[in-house]
Amino acid sequence: MRGLRWRYTQLPSQPDDPLPGEVEAEAEAEAEAQTVPTAQGPGIQEASVPTLGESKVLHEEEFRQLIPYFPLRFTDHSWTLVYCTERDGFSLKSLYRRMEGQSYPVLLALRDRDGQIFGAFSSTAIRVSSCFYGTGETFLFSFSPQLKVFKWTGSNTFFVKGDLDLLVMGSGSGHFGLWLDGDLNHGGSHPCATFNNEVLASREEFFIQDLEAWALS
């Protein structure tokens, strides 16, 4: 396999047409957390990933390990850093603003103040919504320290929902798989029916050290 190519591209003001083939994942998709030692997967020849110099959260090997879990039609695309707390400040409103007009999938990568790395892959851009949206391709992940990926269980469709004060991913029985407050300072993670996930962070409620949002170019 040829070496990975690292590219950083400028965020376009308007996206092209949505990527073709957007489909719902099967209702009985596996939800068990999986640990992977390498990034290689069936059908993956080469992938473009965020530039190491740009990402303050994910190292090269960590991102390589996530690649097999992205839908295959996305693995050859490059990624653009659309939002990061270091550059854009700690504000959920700013995150939404940077996502305006976008329709592509998004990778959220976080580090809490205890150094734990975790996040989520959303099959659609993150936006303000009065109801849940997204598809079964959405998943949560955590490096603790090995990668664990929590896929859709098929039990509900509570993938992503956000307002100006709260962003949540996954829900069930009053618990959110991942939630972030409006200041992107405080968040939490609890087991939920959508992903049957473990607590992603070092504890159920955490403070955010760094947050990045990467979108397909």
Side-chain angles (χ1 to χ4, degrees), residues 58 66 70 79 105-110 117-124 126 137-142 150 159-160 167-170 177-178 180 195 200 212-214:
L58 291 175
L66 283 169
F70 300 148
W79 293 78
V106 172
L107 179 71
L108 285 182
L110 299 93
I117 295 173
F118 54 96
F121 173 84
S122 172
S123 58
T124 61
I126 294 172
E137 293 173 329
T138 303
F139 63 80
L140 304 178
F141 67 89
S142 176
F150 304 95
F159 300 117
V160 187
L167 173 66
V168 303
M169 304 189 75
L178 177 64
L180 307 173
F195 302 109
L200 304 178
E212 298 174 347
W214 294 85

Side-chain angles (χ1 to χ4, degrees), residues 162-193:
D163 57 31
L164 297 181
D165 299 313
L166 188 68
L167 173 66
V168 303
M169 304 189 75
S171 183
S173 302
H175 297 291
F176 300 126
L178 177 64
W179 64 266
L180 307 173
D181 72 3
D183 294 327
L184 293 185
N185 176 59
H186 181 216
S189 175
H190 303 269
C192 74

